[in-house]
Amino acid sequence: MQDVRPDVWSAELEEALVRIGHRFGRVDLRRQVRAYVHGLLGPVGRKNSWQLAEYVGHRSPAALQPCSPAALQNLLNRARWNADEVRDDLQEYVSEKLGVPDGVLIVDDTGFLKKGTVSAGVQRQYSGTAGRTENCQIGVFAAYSSQRGRALVDRELYLPKAWTSDRERCRAAKIPDNREFATKGDLAKTMIQRALASPLPIAWVTADSAYGQEWRLRRMLEEAGVGYVLAVPKSQSVPALGRIDLVIAQAPDEAWERHSCGDGAKGPRVYDWAAAKLPANIVFDPDPPTHHRWVLARRSLSDPGEIAYYLAYAPVGTEVPELARIAGSRWAIEECFQAAKNECGLDEYEVRRCPGWYRHITLVMLAHAFLAAMSATATVARGAAETVPVPSRPSLWQKSGGSWQFTVPHRHPAGKPIKR
C-alpha cells in the first residue's frame, strides 16, 4: 500500500466511513466509529479497546490514566446501532469496488481462541485455525472474490447446543431469545441467501468439504441458478455411480489435463485435473438443460496420490479450466482471514457478549474491505488432498463432443441393470 498517495487513501477511507455514517444516530457515535476504524488500520500492537484508545488519543480525566477505552467500549457494548445494517452497507461497498459479473462467494469458518466460559459461544471444540480442539469461539464467514480483489462480506457466530439449550446463559451473553441452534452449514446457507439478495454480483459459490457435502446447500444453489464448485470428502456418494474416489480412480490417463487454478506467490498453481459431466436429472432439470453437473478431481504434480474431490454445477458451455479456477478461488477466504487478523485485529477483541462480537467483527470487515479496495491484490491459494484407492470394476468414463461424460446403466425399479 506504500504506492498509494496519502490523499487518495484518506479520500477512500472517508468514503467508506460516510457510507455507514447514517447508521449511527448521534455525532459522538460517528466519531467513535471513525476512531475505531482508524485504529484498526493503524500501527497498533494489539487492537483491543485500550490500545486503540491510546492510538486515537482518547484521554482519561484521571491524571494517572493517560487513556480511556470507555468511548470505544461503549461503541461495542452499549451504544444503539445495528451491525447487520452496517454489514449491508459493506456488501454494497464491496460490490462497487470489487464486483464483477463472474464473482465468487466463498464460505468457511475460523476459530478465535478464548479463555474462560462466559464469552458467547465459547467451548472446547475443534478449530481448523488451531488444527486441534481448543477453548474457542467459531465464526462462519462469507468472502467475495474477483479478479479485482477479495474481502469478507458476512459473518455469523456459531453457537453450540450447550449454549442454545441454556437460555439463562444466552441471556447473560446478550444472545437474542429467538436465536436457536443452527449448524455451521445452516449458517452458511443463511449467509449465501443474504449475499444472493445483496448487490454483490455472484456467479459462483465455493467452499471446503465441510460445507460441500451438504446436499441441501447444493440443491439451494441449483434452484437459484447459481454455479458452484464445492469440495467433498472422498467418501462422497455420486448418484448412480458410487463413491467419488472410486469414480475418479476409473478415469483413463487421457482424462487428466494440466491446468492452473490461479496465480500464487510463486506463479501459476498447476495441477492435473479430471472432470466429467453427470447425466441430467430428469426430475429437476429443464429440457434442454441450462447447467451441467460435474465430478471434478485435482491431483498433485509432486505426489500423484494426493487428490482432492469436487462436485460442480456449471452453466452449459463451461469448460474444465474455468471449473479449476473456481475451485482454486476457495483459498481467497484464507487470505482474507490472515489479512484481517494480521492487519485489522479480527481476532484481537476483548468483548464477551454477542452484540460486541458482531460489532467488532463487522467494523474489522469494513477496514479490511477498505484495504482490499485500495490494493485489489490477486488471489493466492493452496490445496489439500485425499488419497485414492484403485477399483476393479469397468470404467464408466466415455468421451463425447470434446468432454468426458459418465455412462450410467439404466435400471429397473428393483435396482438391477437392464440388459440390452
Side-chain angles (χ1 to χ4, degrees), residues 3 28-29 42 79 132 146 166 173 182 192 216 256 269 277 280 285 290 313 318 363 388 398 407 410:
D3 56 345
D28 61 326
L29 287 184
R132 59 185 180 274
S146 73
D166 188 340
I192 291 171
R216 291 181 181 86
W256 290 93
R269 291 170 285 116
K277 296 174 185 175
D285 296 341
T290 59
Y313 180 74
T318 304
L363 293 178
V388 57
Q398 299 292 331
T407 56
H410 291 275

Side-chain angles (χ1 to χ4, degrees), residues 10 18 22 53 87 145-146 176 198 204 208 212 238 305 308 319 328 346 355 403 415:
S10 297
V18 168
H22 68 290
R87 175 208 59 213
S145 178
S146 73
S198 78
W204 299 93
D208 67 15
V238 180
E319 298 186 353
L346 183 72
S403 64

Side-chain angles (χ1 to χ4, degrees), residues 82-102:
N82 190 318
D84 287 346
E85 293 176 347
V86 175
R87 175 208 59 213
D88 293 344
D89 294 335
L90 163 70
Q91 292 182 347
E92 183 177 356
Y93 176 74
V94 172
S95 174
E96 293 178 10
K97 302 299 180 180
L98 306 180
V100 296
D102 64 346

Side-chain angles (χ1 to χ4, degrees), residues 295-347:
V295 165
L296 183 70
R298 186 199 69 214
R299 186 174 68 188
S300 168
L301 301 185
S302 59
D303 185 354
E306 291 187 357
I307 301 178
Y309 304 95
Y310 304 85
L311 293 178
Y313 180 74
V316 170
T318 304
E319 298 186 353
V320 177
E322 177 70 354
L323 298 178
R325 182 186 73 83
I326 302 303
S329 69
R330 179 172 68 85
W331 288 91
I333 196 169
E334 297 293 342
E335 294 189 333
C336 287
F337 289 149
Q338 182 179 4
K341 289 179 179 180
N342 292 345
E343 300 172 21
C344 304
L346 183 72
D347 57 347

Side-chain angles (χ1 to χ4, degrees), residues 7 70 76 80 158 197 230 252 254 273 297 329 387 394 402:
D7 60 324
L76 297 183
R80 295 184 62 180
Y158 171 68
L230 297 167
E254 61 267 28
W273 298 82
S329 69
T387 56

